[in-house]
Amino acid sequence: MFCRILCCLMIVRQISASSAESCPEFPPVNNSVFVATEVEGQILGTYFCIKGYHLVGKKTFFCNESEEWNVSTTECYLGHCPDPVLLNGEFNSSGPVNIGDKITFKCNDRYFLKGSNWSQCLEDHTWEPPFPICKSRDCDSPGNPDHGYFEGEDFTSGAVIAFYCEERYRLVGTQELQCIDGEWSSGLPTCKWIQEAPKTALQSGLEKALLAFQGTKDLCSATENFMKRLQESGLTMEDVKYFLETKKAELEAKKCC
């Protein structure tokens, strides 16, 4: 009774007389303290449970236009923890949990549990271990790299997609990614511009390198001479790869025609 009278004195000091008279007396909630303040012409009421009790239900309320507190069921329970929450899952509790009680968690289909599958209500009204989350086993779309694209429309767990680059670009990174428990198996690859060497210099350099390779019977010496000729011509293996791919495309085009 003393606590409720004290709270009423606090209300009178925090709101105007006209506002205070427009709302009826606040609904009582056992083992709580009620504080009211004026916010933009409306009266906002807030319940605070006393030590050793935990609030279940809505905490703050406005005095509405009909001059009534829009109060739903709000209570202060002794020794109860906050209601457990688990999106896309369920737990074995249907009401307030007492100190010392344990609850277990389970995820819905297509979700997996990340964290502990149980938690306990402690004396300070907290849960330990913290609540887990239910994470989807499916992946989000990975998106396209610049100057590239991927093939595949299935992003469910276990699905595989492949990445490709536009013409004159080469793929750097892992070409195929797999969805594993909501995460792609590797980072997104990139498409790097292939620097084109002058055609005559490229052909001339490759011809010299190939002649050096063919002129040596020992495979190790032939490979060494081939790489040496490439370096002298200022070429790289990427240039060789591009040249061969170009020749292959030209031959296939002639074959089709």
Side-chain angles (χ1 to χ4, degrees):
M1 186 64 177
F2 172 78
C3 179
R4 190 167 296 173
I5 293 174
L6 177 59
C7 293
C8 290
L9 292 176
M10 292 173 63
I11 294 170
V12 173
R13 288 198 299 270
Q14 295 182 35
I15 61 178
S16 63
S18 59
S19 297
E21 292 174 358
S22 65
C23 287
E25 183 180 357
F26 56 88
V29 173
N30 293 333
N31 305 305
S32 73
V33 174
F34 183 87
V35 177
T37 56
E38 190 175 45
V39 179
E40 298 181 355
Q42 286 187 299
I43 301 178
L44 174 67
T46 305
Y47 287 98
F48 298 93
C49 293
I50 63 176
K51 186 176 181 180
Y53 290 80
H54 179 77
L55 187 139
V56 176
K58 194 172 180 181
K59 182 178 181 179
T60 58
F61 307 91
F62 274 100
C63 179
N64 58 32
E65 295 179 356
S66 62
E67 299 180 355
E68 295 179 353
W69 294 102
N70 55 343
V71 179
S72 57
T73 304
T74 298
E75 295 185 56
C76 289
Y77 288 97
L78 177 64
H80 287 77
C81 278
D83 294 337
V85 177
L86 183 66
L87 297 177
N88 302 309
E90 58 186 25
F91 43 84
N92 63 338
S93 173
S94 58
V97 182
N98 295 316
I99 290 175
D101 288 351
K102 290 183 179 180
I103 59 173
T104 56
F105 302 94
K106 179 183 178 182
C107 292
N108 300 335
D109 292 340
R110 305 300 305 169
Y111 291 85
F112 69 96
L113 200 70
K114 193 170 183 179
S116 174
N117 67 342
W118 66 275
S119 189
Q120 185 175 25
C121 177
L122 304 182
E123 292 184 359
D124 60 355
H125 303 167
T126 60
W127 291 99
E128 187 64 33
F131 294 155
I133 61 172
C134 288
K135 186 174 176 60
S136 175
R137 293 187 181 277
D138 301 334
C139 292
D140 295 327
S141 173
N144 293 321
D146 292 339
H147 305 289
Y149 59 95
F150 68 86
E151 291 184 354
E153 298 179 353
D154 185 6
F155 302 149
T156 58
S157 184
V160 177
I161 60 174
F163 287 85
Y164 301 92
C165 292
E166 298 172 356
E167 187 178 355
R168 298 296 301 142
Y169 289 84
R170 63 183 177 88
L171 194 74
V172 178
T174 305
Q175 182 177 28
E176 290 188 344
L177 303 186
Q178 184 177 24
C179 177
I180 303 174
D181 285 340
E183 301 288 344
W184 291 107
S185 57
S186 181
L188 197 69
T190 59
C191 291
K192 186 177 180 180
W193 169 256
I194 299 175
Q195 188 68 35
E196 185 174 6
K199 191 171 183 180
T200 54
L202 178 62
Q203 289 180 337
S204 176
L206 284 175
E207 287 174 358
K208 292 179 180 178
L210 289 171
L211 286 173
F213 185 85
Q214 295 171 354
T216 307
K217 294 182 179 181
D218 180 63
L219 181 61
C220 292
S221 298
T223 303
E224 185 178 349
N225 289 336
F226 177 75
M227 297 302 298
K228 183 179 179 180
R229 292 290 185 179
L230 280 183
Q231 291 177 354
E232 290 174 353
S233 302
L235 302 177
T236 65
M237 290 303 294
E238 289 296 333
D239 296 324
V240 177
K241 180 182 177 183
Y242 172 70
F243 177 78
L244 295 176
E245 288 177 348
T246 303
K247 286 297 182 183
K248 179 182 178 182
E250 290 176 355
L251 292 173
E252 289 179 350
K254 290 180 180 180
K255 183 179 179 180
C256 291
C257 295

